[in-house]
């Protein structure tokens, strides 16, 4: 397992001389000793440099591809989003979301136009979810960029930007936890 976590050359060294990143790798080696079907990792990227983080992502993906279940608790959401298939978001003891990362609901279309309010009203009237993200910017869900472009042409609205987008895991997390005081749990499956 030392070889598996990249510590084979350090096997003769005392643990007291290990860096934080090396200690993280050693802890993972310890967890792998029994060849477990399920691994529970708490902040596994803590203390790892960028190369170590890339190595960890690769290792977790290989272990999952071998049929293991990997549960990761982490505040580094950008790292989690690169390896997770499913996410669970808990806020103040309440389940806010549980499901596939793809189902988190952060997908949409970003639109920029000098007629943002008019376009917003047109989209709302057609039943689409629209959020103003600035004086000339909208985030739209429930309709694709091509359909928004057609509507804008039909209505004579000039668009300066029209982009399919997906929110980051961090943005989705913040959206779910900020609204926790007023909203029902979202996306719980």
């Amino acid at each position: 397992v030392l070889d598996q976590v990249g510590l084979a050359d350090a096997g003769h060294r005392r643990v007291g001389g290990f860096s934080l990143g090396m200690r993280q790798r050693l802890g993972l080696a310890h967890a792998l000793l029994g060849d477990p079907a399920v691994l529970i990792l708490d902040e596994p990227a803590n203390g790892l440099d960028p190369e170590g983080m890339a190595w960890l992502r690769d290792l977790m993906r290989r272990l999952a591809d071998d049929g293991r279940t990997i549960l990761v608790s982490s505040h580094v959401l950008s790292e989690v989003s690169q390896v997770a298939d499913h996410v669970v978001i808990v806020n103040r003891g309440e389940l806010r979301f549980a499901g596939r990362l793809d189902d988190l609901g952060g997908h949409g279309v970003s639109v920029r136009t000098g007629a943002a309010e008019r376009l917003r009203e047109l989209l709302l009237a057609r039943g689409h979810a629209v959020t103003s993200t600035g004086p000339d910017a909208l985030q739209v869900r429930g309709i694709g960029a091509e359909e928004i472009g057609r509507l804008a042409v039909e209505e004579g609205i000039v668009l300066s930007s029209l982009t399919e987008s997906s929110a980051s895991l961090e943005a989705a997390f913040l959206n779910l936890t900020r609204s926790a005081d007023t909203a029902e749990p979202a996306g719980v499956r």
Side-chain angles (χ1 to χ4, degrees), residues 5 8 23 27 38 49 63 72 89 98 105 108 123 130 143 147 152 154 158 160 165 175 179 181:
V5 299
R23 288 175 191 250
V38 177
D49 59 14
L63 292 170
V72 178
I89 296 176
L123 290 164
V130 183
I143 185 173
E147 296 154 290
E154 290 169 9
V158 176
S160 57
S165 63
N175 183 47
S179 63
D181 295 331

Side-chain angles (χ1 to χ4, degrees), residues 21-157:
M22 292 174 77
R23 288 175 191 250
Q24 285 289 89
R25 288 176 184 243
L26 184 61
L28 188 52
H30 184 237
L32 290 170
L33 278 173
D35 195 27
V38 177
L39 279 171
I40 301 173
L41 306 176
D42 184 23
E43 300 291 349
N46 187 31
L48 296 180
D49 59 14
E51 182 181 331
M53 292 172 85
W55 164 83
L56 178 64
R57 282 192 304 269
D58 182 58
L59 178 66
M60 287 191 296
R61 181 51 56 199
R62 280 186 285 123
L63 292 170
D65 289 346
D66 287 345
R68 297 176 206 256
T69 299
I70 315 293
L71 300 173
V72 178
S73 172
S74 179
H75 291 91
V76 185
L77 300 182
S78 59
E79 285 298 313
V80 172
S81 67
Q82 292 184 52
V83 294
D85 296 322
H86 291 80
V87 295
V88 175
I89 296 176
V90 177
N91 180 261
R92 297 182 181 160
E94 296 269 334
L95 178 64
R96 304 307 300 166
F97 178 85
R100 294 191 49 77
L101 185 58
D102 293 341
D103 296 336
L104 199 48
H107 301 286
V109 179
S110 296
V111 183
R112 287 198 172 276
T113 176
E117 187 55 34
R118 184 166 161 237
L119 181 59
R120 180 181 165 283
E121 289 172 8
L122 289 166
L123 290 164
L124 286 172
R126 287 168 172 78
H128 303 296
V130 183
T131 305
S132 294
T133 56
D136 65 344
L138 303 172
Q139 183 69 25
V140 185
R141 287 190 295 187
I143 185 173
E146 185 176 335
E147 296 154 290
I148 293 171
R150 267 195 224 115
L151 176 62
V153 167
E154 290 169 9
E155 296 294 327
I157 298 173

